[in-house]
């Protein structure tokens, strides 16, 4: 766009269409008015750039901009012939009204929108979670209907990439354990409280630059694939995602929390000094023939960050930032993924487990540290795994947690993993910017997400955090851009940590501005349900991002849902495949 001006003549070259406006009364105050118009148009153009979605005929957007300029010269001339002068304040007010209307018109027409089908949280209490022996038997059926060999065992040198195992996933957002007598709305509020604590704890850990493990070494590419189920944990009241795996010999199946922000694998064990309520029976190590305690002097024991010793037995302790902790015997045990056994996995057998743990028997650490499951079993599946986190609020298609070559989706877009040598548990990536309505938010710059040499800042992808946290300047810019695009939606009061909410009661669907995350080498367009989510049963939906005063930004699992998230550690990259739960 080019703008030319003189005392008597103004010309706008807008998208190759020239609009001329001839001054009538050169001695009037008209030039000052037009200078204001030109300045406003320039500023507006700088902040609302043209996008590919702008209509082919841009002049159709300009009547509100042109009308006052056509009208005012005539009015000025008429008044001058009558010997009257139009006050400058009138001209200023007149221009503000018309230019504001023009700005709103251009902004709305510039944005890309997508449809959001509305599903509020259910009103009634949900039935309890159940996975009995008959259900498990059905789950263990392979694609041809046969039952897999229960004695299949993966060793460190198994080179069989063609043996693909898969298990159907089950979404249990509509199932709650009987011990949790709460409505979905109450569970959601509780999840947000815990989520805030977790995000704060991660930020504190990152700020402290605590080294919690070494990077995983290079593994053998081409190991056998194995998989297990992933289940949304909203109904468990935990805000986590669960996988169903077997522990010990014979295998005792239980729910395990998936956590890419943790390393140590652990379960609750009897006898319990203090254990929280879980869905499955507590694991009894004395009934497992493959359970082996780790001695105090072993190299495996020395890999723990917090080590204890009792009667020559190695003790572990893992504390979480929310005040939760687990303490017990450090051991090795066999884990079973859909009939395929993985031997000699370092496992914490917790006898004292206190805090915010609810429902699951323990935690499967999927971080990058030396004691995480991907690091321990990496040679057996080529150091690749992926998951798809099912939608929390609606029924989702089946999906899988997959380890092995088949974990890498052909439709995934990849961004390089970034190494933070001061804190190597987390999966760091580079976030270059964010778009709203198809247009980059100009004030969200890569520098807001930079990981510096001291290990501060950066962006991590975390399965255990629900709501994405962005550094405060980035969040404010994103929120304000979204509010502009969603100004036609009725606003609602703030809810918990959300400061941008809407009353969509009585509606079945709405159009909302698109949101896309721009990672280095990968543009990820989010479905509307990944950023405008229900928070109650009355039609209140909130923008599911939050700001943080910490320098660390976190991509949470609400924004990940529906994507297959691929962790290719061998290629040092992380990928996103849309509609990955199919």
């Amino acid at each position: 766009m080019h703008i030319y001006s003189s005392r008597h003549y103004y010309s706008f070259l807008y998208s190759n269409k020239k609009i001329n406006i001839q001054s009538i009364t050169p001695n009037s105050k008209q030039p000052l008015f037009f200078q204001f118009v030109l300045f406003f148009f320039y500023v507006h153009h700088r902040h609302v750039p043209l996008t590919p979605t702008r209509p082919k005929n841009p002049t159709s957007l300009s009547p509100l901009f042109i009308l006052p300029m056509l009208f005012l010269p005539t009015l000025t001339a008429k008044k001058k012939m009558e010997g009257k002068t139009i006050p400058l304040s009138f001209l200023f007010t007149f221009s503000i009204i018309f230019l504001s209307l023009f700005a709103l018109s251009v902004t709305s027409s510039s944005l890309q929108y997508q449809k959001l089908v509305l599903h509020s949280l259910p009103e009634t209490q949900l039935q309890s979670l159940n996975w009995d022996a008959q259900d498990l038997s059905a789950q263990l059926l392979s694609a041809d209907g046969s039952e897999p060999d229960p004695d299949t065992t993966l060793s460190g040198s198994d080179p069989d990439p063609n043996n693909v195992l898969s298990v159907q996933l089950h979404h249990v957002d509509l199932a709650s354990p009987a011990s949790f007598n709460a409505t979905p709305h109450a569970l959601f509020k509780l999840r947000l409280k815990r989520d805030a604590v977790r995000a704060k704890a991660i930020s504190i850990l990152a700020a402290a630059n605590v080294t919690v493990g070494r990077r995983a070494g290079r593994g053998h590419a081409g190991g056998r694939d194995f998989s297990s189920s992933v289940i949304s944990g909203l109904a468990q009241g935990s805000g986590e995602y669960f996988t169903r795996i077997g522990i010990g010999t014979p295998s005792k199946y239980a729910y395990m929390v998936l956590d890419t922000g943790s390393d140590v694998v652990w379960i609750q064990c009897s006898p319990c000094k203090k254990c929280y309520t879980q869905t499955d029976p507590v694991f009894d190590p004395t009934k497992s023939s493959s359970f082996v305690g780790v001695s105090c002097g072993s190299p495996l024991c020395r890999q723990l960050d917090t080590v204890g010793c009792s009667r020559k037995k190695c003790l572990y302790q893992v504390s979480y930032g929310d005040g939760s902790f687990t303490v017990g015997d450090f051991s090795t045990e066999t884990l079973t993924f859909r009939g395929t056994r993985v031997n000699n996995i370092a496992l914490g057998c917790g006898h004292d487990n206190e805090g915010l743990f609810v429902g699951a028997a323990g935690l499967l650490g999927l971080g990058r540290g030396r004691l995480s499951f991907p690091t321990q079993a990496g040679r057996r599946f080529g150091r690749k795994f992926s998951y798809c986190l099912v939608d929390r609020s609606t029924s989702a298609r089946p999906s899988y947690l997959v380890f092995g070559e088949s974990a890498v989706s052909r439709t995934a877009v990849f961004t390089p993993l970034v190494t933070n040598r001061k804190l190597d548990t987390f999966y760091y990536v580079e976030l270059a910017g964010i778009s709203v309505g198809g247009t980059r938010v100009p004030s969200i710059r890569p520098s807001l997400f930079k990981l510096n040499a001291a290990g501060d800042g950066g962006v991590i992808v975390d399965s255990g955090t629900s709501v994405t946290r962005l550094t405060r300047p980035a969040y404010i810019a994103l929120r304000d851009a979204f509010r502009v695009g969603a100004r036609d939606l009725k606003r609602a009061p703030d809810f918990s940590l959300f400061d941008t909410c809407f009353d969509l009661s009585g509606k079945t669907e709405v159009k909302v501005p698109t949101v896309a995350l721009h990672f280095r080498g990968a543009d990820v367009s989010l479905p509307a349900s990944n950023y405008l989510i229900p928070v109650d049963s009355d039609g209140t939906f909130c923008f599911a991002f939050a700001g943080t005063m910490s320098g660390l930004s976190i991509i949470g699992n609400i924004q990940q849902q529906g994507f297959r998230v691929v962790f290719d550690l061998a290629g040092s990259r992380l990928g996103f495949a849309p509609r990955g739960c199919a």
Side-chain angles (χ1 to χ4, degrees):
M1 180 190 71
H2 301 282
I3 302 176
Y4 308 94
S5 65
S6 65
R7 188 177 181 192
H8 302 285
Y9 183 77
Y10 298 87
S11 175
F12 297 83
L13 183 58
Y14 186 69
S15 295
N16 299 322
K17 293 198 175 183
K18 196 168 185 179
I19 303 172
N20 298 331
I21 300 172
Q22 181 67 43
S23 172
I24 295 178
T25 56
N27 293 325
S28 69
K29 295 182 180 180
Q30 181 181 350
L32 180 61
F33 165 73
F34 275 109
Q35 289 173 22
F36 173 79
V37 169
L38 297 176
F39 175 75
F40 182 93
F41 195 36
Y42 170 75
V43 171
H44 176 73
H45 177 71
R46 285 289 299 266
H47 290 276
V48 186
L50 300 178
T51 70
T53 58
R54 186 179 294 278
K56 293 181 180 179
N57 181 14
T59 56
S60 64
L61 300 178
S62 59
L64 291 176
F65 176 65
I66 299 172
L67 279 177
M69 290 187 285
L70 295 176
F71 173 72
L72 282 175
T74 304
L75 179 63
T76 303
K78 182 178 179 181
K79 292 296 182 181
K80 185 170 184 178
M81 287 187 295
E82 296 174 358
K84 299 180 180 180
T85 303
I86 299 177
L88 182 60
S89 59
F90 170 79
L91 295 176
F92 185 81
T93 303
F94 187 83
S95 63
I96 285 292
I97 294 173
F98 275 92
L99 292 174
S100 296
L101 291 173
F102 167 74
L104 292 177
S105 174
V106 171
T107 302
S108 296
S109 302
S110 300
L111 296 180
Q112 294 176 354
Y113 287 80
Q114 63 178 328
K115 182 174 66 176
L116 171 64
V117 178
L118 303 177
H119 296 283
S120 296
L121 294 178
E123 296 181 359
T124 58
Q125 182 178 329
L126 308 172
Q127 62 183 7
S128 61
L129 182 67
N130 183 24
W131 194 318
D132 56 29
Q134 184 177 358
D135 294 332
L136 181 58
S137 177
Q139 287 302 312
L140 293 179
L141 291 178
S142 58
D144 61 0
S146 62
E147 200 165 275
D149 180 4
D151 295 326
T152 300
T153 303
L154 292 184
S155 67
S157 59
D158 265 334
D160 191 359
N162 296 319
N163 190 353
V164 178
L165 298 179
S166 61
V167 62
Q168 190 178 31
L169 300 190
H170 292 265
H171 182 256
V172 295
D173 279 358
L174 301 180
S176 175
S179 60
F180 228 89
N181 186 18
T183 64
H185 180 248
L187 293 177
F188 182 75
K189 293 182 68 174
L190 183 60
R191 172 163 65 99
L192 291 180
K193 289 181 180 178
R194 280 195 305 273
D195 194 56
V197 173
R198 176 184 173 90
K200 181 179 179 180
I202 290 177
S203 297
I204 293 174
L205 181 63
N209 287 328
V210 178
T211 301
V212 295
R214 292 193 302 267
R215 290 179 60 195
R218 294 187 60 83
H220 174 69
R224 185 190 303 262
D225 294 355
F226 56 103
S227 61
S228 186
S229 58
V230 175
I231 299 173
S232 168
L234 175 60
Q236 296 280 6
S238 67
E240 309 290 350
Y241 286 85
F242 298 88
T243 182
R244 185 82 172 168
I245 64 176
I247 302 100
T249 305
S251 298
K252 300 297 181 182
Y253 278 81
Y255 290 103
M256 300 279 282
V257 174
L258 296 175
D259 189 4
T260 56
S262 300
D263 289 327
V264 176
V265 181
W266 62 268
I267 58 169
Q268 291 199 116
C269 291
S270 63
C272 280
K273 177 181 178 181
K274 189 169 184 179
C275 288
Y276 58 86
T277 302
Q278 66 179 57
T279 303
D280 302 288
V282 175
F283 178 72
D284 185 353
T286 63
K287 296 181 179 180
S288 172
S289 60
S290 52
F291 181 89
V292 178
V294 174
S295 64
C296 291
S298 69
L300 190 59
C301 185
R302 290 195 294 268
Q303 291 186 41
L304 289 165
D305 295 315
T306 303
V307 183
C309 193
S310 175
R311 299 178 182 178
K312 298 184 179 181
K313 292 182 179 180
C314 181
L315 302 180
Y316 82 98
Q317 175 178 330
V318 178
S319 299
Y320 298 91
D322 59 8
S324 304
F325 64 87
T326 174
V327 179
D329 300 322
F330 203 46
S331 64
T332 60
E333 183 56 288
T334 296
L335 301 184
T336 303
F337 291 77
R338 194 182 174 276
T340 299
R341 296 176 179 175
V342 185
N343 290 337
N344 301 319
I345 296 299
L347 177 78
C349 192
H351 300 289
D352 186 358
N353 315 288
E354 303 178 33
L356 298 177
F357 309 120
V358 177
L363 184 143
L364 187 70
L366 298 177
R368 300 179 76 181
R370 56 183 176 244
L371 290 176
S372 73
F373 182 77
T375 300
Q376 293 190 63
R379 293 181 60 85
R380 309 172 213 194
F381 57 84
R383 299 179 64 214
K384 298 178 178 70
F385 72 95
S386 67
Y387 58 66
C388 186
L389 305 181
V390 292
D391 193 331
R392 295 173 173 274
S393 59
T394 61
S395 297
R397 295 179 179 180
S399 186
Y400 309 92
L401 167 69
V402 180
F403 296 86
E405 293 298 326
S406 58
V408 181
S409 172
R410 294 180 180 178
T411 61
V413 292
F414 287 92
T415 184
L417 284 170
V418 178
T419 299
N420 183 353
R421 299 187 182 279
K422 300 292 183 65
L423 187 63
D424 62 357
T425 292
F426 300 128
Y427 292 92
Y428 282 86
V429 293
E430 293 183 35
L431 183 61
I434 303 176
S435 290
V436 174
T439 301
R440 289 278 191 118
V441 181
S443 55
I444 300 182
R445 301 176 300 275
S447 59
L448 295 175
F449 309 112
K450 185 176 179 58
L451 175 67
N452 62 29
D456 299 323
V459 179
I460 66 171
V461 175
D462 182 39
S463 67
T465 301
S466 293
V467 179
T468 290
R469 264 72 172 186
L470 301 174
T471 56
R472 189 69 182 169
Y475 170 70
I476 291 175
L478 171 63
R479 178 201 65 189
D480 291 349
F482 185 82
R483 285 178 176 179
V484 170
R487 64 179 172 276
D488 292 336
L489 301 180
K490 182 181 178 181
R491 289 292 298 273
D494 297 351
F495 181 91
S496 184
L497 77 166
F498 301 130
D499 61 5
T500 301
C501 298
F502 303 91
D503 179 4
L504 304 181
S505 57
K507 299 180 182 296
T508 58
E509 65 180 46
V510 295
K511 287 187 177 180
V512 296
T514 59
V515 174
L517 305 178
H518 302 290
F519 299 97
R520 177 185 170 191
D523 297 328
V524 180
S525 298
L526 301 178
S529 58
N530 285 30
Y531 55 86
L532 198 60
I533 65 171
V535 297
D536 60 22
S537 305
D538 301 321
T540 304
F541 286 70
C542 295
F543 190 53
F545 287 83
T548 176
M549 299 306 294
S550 165
L552 178 69
S553 295
I554 306 172
I555 306 299
N557 57 45
I558 290 178
Q559 281 64 45
Q560 297 176 48
Q561 68 185 20
F563 287 90
R564 177 155 298 282
V565 184
V566 181
F567 297 81
D568 181 1
L569 305 184
S572 190
R573 59 181 186 163
L574 188 147
F576 298 90
R579 296 175 295 279
C581 294

